[in-house]
Amino acid sequence: MGESGLRLSKYSVGTGDRFAHQAKAQLQACVQALHAGVEVIPVWNKSNREHNIIGSEPTSIRAAADAAVRALNWTLPYFLDADHITLETVGRFLASCDFYTIDVADFIGQPAAQVDIDEFVRHRASLAGRIHLPGIDDPFEITADDLRQTAHKFLAAVKKAGQVYRAIFAAKGEGNFIPEVSMDETDRAQSPVELLIILAAIADEGIPIQTIAPKFSGRFNKGVDYVGDLPQFHREFVLDVAAIRYAVDHFGLPSNLKLSVHSGSDKFSIYPAIHATMKTFNVGVHLKTAGTTWLGELIGRAEAGGDGLALAKEIYAEAFSHREELCAPYATVIDIDSARLPSPTEVNAWTSEQYTSALRHVPGNKAYNSSLRQLLHVGFKVAAKMGPRYLGLLESNEAVIARNVTENLYNRHIAPVFLGLNA
Ligand SMILES: [Zn+2]
């Protein structure tokens, strides 16, 4: 299934560019990786929600990515990800995108037709029993009941993914896009056994996915580090990788199928486990880091001082006074302690150094403030509302902003995950 046409390489990084001004700075991080000896393919992702908040269209991301690729003479592949799309939202992405993250999390737990469940359980009866995964000591023990329960919980979501896949297929043709299925925006993590069974259902549905984004255990809050049990994450990640390998060998899914980690950005503490697992199993990963480029812009702006710093302070003040409304859509993926948010008056008295150290994600730094960071992370709507005032200063502070964006993406994400270097 899906062994010809567009293929995603072993290592790839998904990166977001809310205001479509940093594609070149982001691509520069992939160029640096190449110089360090590792090919990391860039994928620009922007969700429908982000387009709506900012008032942009996918064509703007296409134009920015193509221009960056030309400017830096990037000759390797690159992709544009229609991130978290559904049947209702996919349309506007069809002309510009060649990577589709089909989000079916809302359909998890909805009942599939009984006849479909029966058919799946009959067809995949051989999964019941002991499954030995290469490189893993303890086999998966799957009962007929597990198979039925998992089908009950996930089959409707997989069938929905099939519908969305076929809609994209009809518009773009076979091999002209990379399909991903995402199930990360839900309450409960999927276990590796569930992942294996879900992959069987995806294969049965005929979706040649090249990446799959499960929900892992622990908290993946936006723009801040992982909160959870690290050894458990590591064990789960290893088992997920082994389940994927089994699915490739036995279900006929594309041989380059790999995990997509929707990190919500800056999950520094899980990077060593991801890197170690990739080395042990000789597999790749797709790492989505999405929204921190916007924070890189803000840091660069504050660092520039003068008008840049003044605008960064104004954005904080606006975000502070609209904090409830800005946080509401992200309630499940942020943990802001209001008592730790400085007042706008306090922030207005800050130097560049004070602003950037509060915002820059350096967990050991006493001045770092994760509540302020998360508020600004979801506060891009404030900048979007400023329109040309925001974008104009992006251009006049371009050099310092670009350096922040490239350094952040390369030193703190690409190097630890793909090269095993600690930031
Ligand atoms: Zn996601």
Side-chain angles (χ1 to χ4, degrees), residues 16-17 19 50 89 93 106 115 183 186 193 242 282 306 312 365 373 403:
D17 187 9
F19 298 101
E50 287 159 23
T89 57
F93 295 91
D106 283 351
V115 52
M183 298 189 166
T186 182
V193 167
N282 187 25
N365 184 346
R373 182 174 170 86
R403 181 171 48 71

PDB file of all heavy atoms in Angstrom, residues 16-17 19 50 89 93 106 115 183 186 193 242 282 306 312 365 373 403:
ATOM      1  N   GLY A  16       5.327  25.507  12.627  1.00  0.00           N
ATOM      2  CA  GLY A  16       4.225  26.417  12.343  1.00  0.00           C
ATOM      3  C   GLY A  16       4.741  27.818  12.115  1.00  0.00           C
ATOM      4  O   GLY A  16       5.746  28.221  12.688  1.00  0.00           O
ATOM      5  N   ASP A  17       4.058  28.535  11.274  1.00  0.00           N
ATOM      6  CA  ASP A  17       4.491  29.890  10.950  1.00  0.00           C
ATOM      7  C   ASP A  17       3.238  30.750  10.891  1.00  0.00           C
ATOM      8  O   ASP A  17       2.726  31.054   9.829  1.00  0.00           O
ATOM      9  CB  ASP A  17       5.226  29.873   9.607  1.00  0.00           C
ATOM     10  CG  ASP A  17       5.863  31.221   9.266  1.00  0.00           C
ATOM     11  OD1 ASP A  17       5.885  32.098  10.136  1.00  0.00           O
ATOM     12  OD2 ASP A  17       6.332  31.370   8.121  1.00  0.00           O
ATOM     13  N   PHE A  19       2.331  33.810  11.143  1.00  0.00           N
ATOM     14  CA  PHE A  19       2.190  35.028  10.347  1.00  0.00           C
ATOM     15  C   PHE A  19       2.922  34.951   9.002  1.00  0.00           C
ATOM     16  O   PHE A  19       3.101  35.956   8.327  1.00  0.00           O
ATOM     17  CB  PHE A  19       2.643  36.241  11.177  1.00  0.00           C
ATOM     18  CG  PHE A  19       1.791  36.421  12.395  1.00  0.00           C
ATOM     19  CD1 PHE A  19       2.230  36.002  13.644  1.00  0.00           C
ATOM     20  CD2 PHE A  19       0.513  36.947  12.279  1.00  0.00           C
ATOM     21  CE1 PHE A  19       1.418  36.125  14.770  1.00  0.00           C
ATOM     22  CE2 PHE A  19      -0.308  37.067  13.402  1.00  0.00           C
ATOM     23  CZ  PHE A  19       0.146  36.659  14.646  1.00  0.00           C
ATOM     24  N   GLU A  50      -6.135  28.048  13.302  1.00  0.00           N
ATOM     25  CA  GLU A  50      -5.158  29.137  13.229  1.00  0.00           C
ATOM     26  C   GLU A  50      -5.434  30.062  12.041  1.00  0.00           C
ATOM     27  O   GLU A  50      -5.318  31.279  12.167  1.00  0.00           O
ATOM     28  CB  GLU A  50      -3.736  28.572  13.135  1.00  0.00           C
ATOM     29  CG  GLU A  50      -3.251  27.988  14.443  1.00  0.00           C
ATOM     30  CD  GLU A  50      -2.110  26.999  14.251  1.00  0.00           C
ATOM     31  OE1 GLU A  50      -1.403  27.072  13.228  1.00  0.00           O
ATOM     32  OE2 GLU A  50      -1.954  26.137  15.126  1.00  0.00           O
ATOM     33  N   THR A  89     -13.579  20.781   6.938  1.00  0.00           N
ATOM     34  CA  THR A  89     -12.609  21.875   6.779  1.00  0.00           C
ATOM     35  C   THR A  89     -11.555  21.623   5.705  1.00  0.00           C
ATOM     36  O   THR A  89     -10.761  22.512   5.398  1.00  0.00           O
ATOM     37  CB  THR A  89     -11.880  22.152   8.109  1.00  0.00           C
ATOM     38  OG1 THR A  89     -11.257  20.947   8.557  1.00  0.00           O
ATOM     39  CG2 THR A  89     -12.847  22.634   9.174  1.00  0.00           C
ATOM     40  N   PHE A  93      -7.842  23.562   1.850  1.00  0.00           N
ATOM     41  CA  PHE A  93      -6.439  23.137   1.848  1.00  0.00           C
ATOM     42  C   PHE A  93      -6.047  22.347   0.604  1.00  0.00           C
ATOM     43  O   PHE A  93      -4.885  22.023   0.402  1.00  0.00           O
ATOM     44  CB  PHE A  93      -6.153  22.258   3.078  1.00  0.00           C
ATOM     45  CG  PHE A  93      -6.278  22.993   4.386  1.00  0.00           C
ATOM     46  CD1 PHE A  93      -7.479  23.023   5.074  1.00  0.00           C
ATOM     47  CD2 PHE A  93      -5.186  23.652   4.930  1.00  0.00           C
ATOM     48  CE1 PHE A  93      -7.593  23.706   6.289  1.00  0.00           C
ATOM     49  CE2 PHE A  93      -5.287  24.331   6.136  1.00  0.00           C
ATOM     50  CZ  PHE A  93      -6.494  24.356   6.819  1.00  0.00           C
ATOM     51  N   ASP A 106     -12.609  13.455  17.554  1.00  0.00           N
ATOM     52  CA  ASP A 106     -13.990  13.661  18.001  1.00  0.00           C
ATOM     53  C   ASP A 106     -14.865  12.420  17.826  1.00  0.00           C
ATOM     54  O   ASP A 106     -15.955  12.350  18.395  1.00  0.00           O
ATOM     55  CB  ASP A 106     -14.648  14.812  17.206  1.00  0.00           C
ATOM     56  CG  ASP A 106     -14.167  16.159  17.697  1.00  0.00           C
ATOM     57  OD1 ASP A 106     -13.481  16.200  18.745  1.00  0.00           O
ATOM     58  OD2 ASP A 106     -14.465  17.171  17.030  1.00  0.00           O
ATOM     59  N   VAL A 115     -22.430  -4.229  12.467  1.00  0.00           N
ATOM     60  CA  VAL A 115     -21.983  -5.103  11.384  1.00  0.00           C
ATOM     61  C   VAL A 115     -20.506  -4.841  11.062  1.00  0.00           C
ATOM     62  O   VAL A 115     -19.736  -5.772  10.781  1.00  0.00           O
ATOM     63  CB  VAL A 115     -22.912  -4.952  10.139  1.00  0.00           C
ATOM     64  CG1 VAL A 115     -23.053  -3.482   9.751  1.00  0.00           C
ATOM     65  CG2 VAL A 115     -22.390  -5.750   8.956  1.00  0.00           C
ATOM     66  N   MET A 183      -5.063  11.248  16.517  1.00  0.00           N
ATOM     67  CA  MET A 183      -6.030  10.950  17.578  1.00  0.00           C
ATOM     68  C   MET A 183      -5.551  11.557  18.883  1.00  0.00           C
ATOM     69  O   MET A 183      -5.873  11.078  19.964  1.00  0.00           O
ATOM     70  CB  MET A 183      -6.169   9.432  17.739  1.00  0.00           C
ATOM     71  CG  MET A 183      -6.702   8.721  16.510  1.00  0.00           C
ATOM     72  SD  MET A 183      -7.091   6.996  16.853  1.00  0.00           S
ATOM     73  CE  MET A 183      -8.065   6.579  15.400  1.00  0.00           C
ATOM     74  N   THR A 186      -7.632  14.260  22.502  1.00  0.00           N
ATOM     75  CA  THR A 186      -8.675  13.554  23.226  1.00  0.00           C
ATOM     76  C   THR A 186      -8.223  13.393  24.675  1.00  0.00           C
ATOM     77  O   THR A 186      -7.085  13.712  25.002  1.00  0.00           O
ATOM     78  CB  THR A 186      -8.950  12.197  22.535  1.00  0.00           C
ATOM     79  OG1 THR A 186     -10.001  11.530  23.197  1.00  0.00           O
ATOM     80  CG2 THR A 186      -7.727  11.297  22.545  1.00  0.00           C
ATOM     81  N   VAL A 193      -1.207  -1.439  22.666  1.00  0.00           N
ATOM     82  CA  VAL A 193      -2.064  -2.521  22.138  1.00  0.00           C
ATOM     83  C   VAL A 193      -3.212  -1.914  21.320  1.00  0.00           C
ATOM     84  O   VAL A 193      -3.523  -2.381  20.222  1.00  0.00           O
ATOM     85  CB  VAL A 193      -2.619  -3.408  23.293  1.00  0.00           C
ATOM     86  CG1 VAL A 193      -3.739  -4.302  22.787  1.00  0.00           C
ATOM     87  CG2 VAL A 193      -1.503  -4.232  23.915  1.00  0.00           C
ATOM     88  N   ALA A 242       7.371  -0.396  18.214  1.00  0.00           N
ATOM     89  CA  ALA A 242       7.343  -1.828  17.894  1.00  0.00           C
ATOM     90  C   ALA A 242       6.002  -2.223  17.274  1.00  0.00           C
ATOM     91  O   ALA A 242       5.945  -3.033  16.337  1.00  0.00           O
ATOM     92  CB  ALA A 242       7.614  -2.649  19.156  1.00  0.00           C
ATOM     93  N   ASN A 282      16.248   1.917  14.947  1.00  0.00           N
ATOM     94  CA  ASN A 282      16.558   2.426  13.618  1.00  0.00           C
ATOM     95  C   ASN A 282      15.301   2.892  12.872  1.00  0.00           C
ATOM     96  O   ASN A 282      15.004   2.440  11.768  1.00  0.00           O
ATOM     97  CB  ASN A 282      17.312   1.364  12.789  1.00  0.00           C
ATOM     98  CG  ASN A 282      17.795   1.946  11.468  1.00  0.00           C
ATOM     99  OD1 ASN A 282      17.994   3.163  11.348  1.00  0.00           O
ATOM    100  ND2 ASN A 282      17.955   1.090  10.461  1.00  0.00           N
ATOM    101  N   GLY A 306      13.417  49.302  21.948  1.00  0.00           N
ATOM    102  CA  GLY A 306      12.691  50.382  21.271  1.00  0.00           C
ATOM    103  C   GLY A 306      11.243  50.039  20.969  1.00  0.00           C
ATOM    104  O   GLY A 306      10.524  49.533  21.832  1.00  0.00           O
ATOM    105  N   ALA A 312       5.887  44.448  22.160  1.00  0.00           N
ATOM    106  CA  ALA A 312       5.823  43.188  22.922  1.00  0.00           C
ATOM    107  C   ALA A 312       5.091  43.419  24.245  1.00  0.00           C
ATOM    108  O   ALA A 312       4.303  42.573  24.693  1.00  0.00           O
ATOM    109  CB  ALA A 312       7.231  42.647  23.158  1.00  0.00           C
ATOM    110  N   ASN A 365      15.955  28.521  34.616  1.00  0.00           N
ATOM    111  CA  ASN A 365      16.136  29.952  34.865  1.00  0.00           C
ATOM    112  C   ASN A 365      15.044  30.492  35.789  1.00  0.00           C
ATOM    113  O   ASN A 365      13.864  30.340  35.520  1.00  0.00           O
ATOM    114  CB  ASN A 365      16.100  30.680  33.509  1.00  0.00           C
ATOM    115  CG  ASN A 365      16.385  32.164  33.635  1.00  0.00           C
ATOM    116  OD1 ASN A 365      16.373  32.732  34.728  1.00  0.00           O
ATOM    117  ND2 ASN A 365      16.647  32.785  32.509  1.00  0.00           N
ATOM    118  N   ARG A 373       4.381  32.566  29.636  1.00  0.00           N
ATOM    119  CA  ARG A 373       4.673  31.972  28.328  1.00  0.00           C
ATOM    120  C   ARG A 373       3.429  31.343  27.701  1.00  0.00           C
ATOM    121  O   ARG A 373       3.155  31.519  26.520  1.00  0.00           O
ATOM    122  CB  ARG A 373       5.792  30.927  28.467  1.00  0.00           C
ATOM    123  CG  ARG A 373       6.183  30.302  27.124  1.00  0.00           C
ATOM    124  CD  ARG A 373       7.392  29.385  27.265  1.00  0.00           C
ATOM    125  NE  ARG A 373       7.612  28.619  26.059  1.00  0.00           N
ATOM    126  CZ  ARG A 373       8.315  29.029  25.004  1.00  0.00           C
ATOM    127  NH1 ARG A 373       8.900  30.214  25.029  1.00  0.00           N
ATOM    128  NH2 ARG A 373       8.453  28.267  23.941  1.00  0.00           N
ATOM    129  N   ARG A 403      17.155  35.127  13.671  1.00  0.00           N
ATOM    130  CA  ARG A 403      18.188  34.408  14.430  1.00  0.00           C
ATOM    131  C   ARG A 403      17.543  33.652  15.598  1.00  0.00           C
ATOM    132  O   ARG A 403      17.859  32.486  15.836  1.00  0.00           O
ATOM    133  CB  ARG A 403      19.243  35.400  14.947  1.00  0.00           C
ATOM    134  CG  ARG A 403      20.359  34.734  15.721  1.00  0.00           C
ATOM    135  CD  ARG A 403      21.509  35.693  16.048  1.00  0.00           C
ATOM    136  NE  ARG A 403      21.081  36.970  16.622  1.00  0.00           N
ATOM    137  CZ  ARG A 403      20.585  37.113  17.859  1.00  0.00           C
ATOM    138  NH1 ARG A 403      20.462  36.063  18.644  1.00  0.00           N
ATOM    139  NH2 ARG A 403      20.218  38.304  18.280  1.00  0.00           N
TER     140      ARG A 403
END
